[in-house]
Amino acid sequence: MADTETTTIYERIGGDDALRRAVDAFYSSVLKDPILQPLFGAGAAHHVDHLTAFLAEVFGGPSRYTDELGGFATLLHAHRGLNITDEQRARFIALFDDAVGAQGLAADPEIRTSLHDYIVFGTEVAQVNSHAEGNDDLHPCQEVPRWP
């Protein structure tokens, strides 16, 4: 049994492969969802890879999102001007929770709580930044966080 005090969430959920399955399931549901689809349009070929890399970094995995995919500045650019609504944010959280549950990533209550709590935080950052008219309006979190 792994020592949960020193093992990252990324390792505990099964690394990139498990995370990619959950992100793929999530992204597929987003593209069919009438509330979220307007934010994502027809989708982007790179989105599953980028979200997987971002979440891997958040949960203690490799820093590929920052090192190779543009880091937080890329994420900020993608969200600015989207004007994400409370309804869209809540739906994003619900679909993400559904996807990690369906892929078996959330069987452990501690992991389920960590994944959910991060998505609540991350969507808050995205929503605030999506409404920012200038840099002073941005969320204080301006880097890829490392989630416990």
Side-chain angles (χ1 to χ4, degrees):
M1 180 83 169
D3 177 0
T4 59
E5 293 296 316
T6 59
T7 305
T8 65
I9 293 170
Y10 173 79
E11 293 166 327
R12 290 175 65 193
I13 64 174
D16 251 30
D17 290 340
L19 193 53
R20 183 173 302 278
R21 284 192 307 274
V23 169
D24 192 40
F26 164 73
Y27 194 57
S28 294
S29 69
V30 163
L31 294 179
K32 295 181 233 171
D33 187 83
I35 295 169
L36 290 177
Q37 189 278 330
L39 290 175
F40 290 85
H46 69 274
H47 201 246
V48 169
D49 182 55
H50 284 214
L51 184 55
T52 299
F54 177 79
L55 291 173
E57 189 168 334
V58 165
F59 294 122
S63 59
R64 187 170 75 87
Y65 189 80
T66 295
D67 297 342
E68 300 173 18
L69 300 175
F72 196 86
T74 299
L75 192 64
L76 179 60
H77 177 73
H79 290 112
R80 282 192 94 162
L82 288 179
N83 297 313
I84 298 168
T85 67
D86 290 339
E87 181 184 30
Q88 289 168 323
R89 179 176 175 226
R91 187 68 178 148
F92 188 102
I93 293 165
L95 291 180
F96 185 84
D97 286 346
D98 289 349
V100 298
Q103 296 302 311
L105 272 61
D108 176 323
E110 182 182 342
I111 296 228
R112 179 175 51 251
T113 298
S114 282
L115 294 172
H116 173 80
D117 288 352
Y118 172 71
I119 290 303
V120 169
F121 173 76
T123 57
E124 174 191 313
V125 173
Q127 185 178 32
V128 168
N129 291 340
S130 79
H131 290 274
E133 293 184 17
N135 290 340
D136 290 343
D137 301 323
L138 294 172
H139 192 280
C141 177
Q142 290 296 302
E143 61 185 18
V144 177
R146 289 294 185 147
W147 204 254

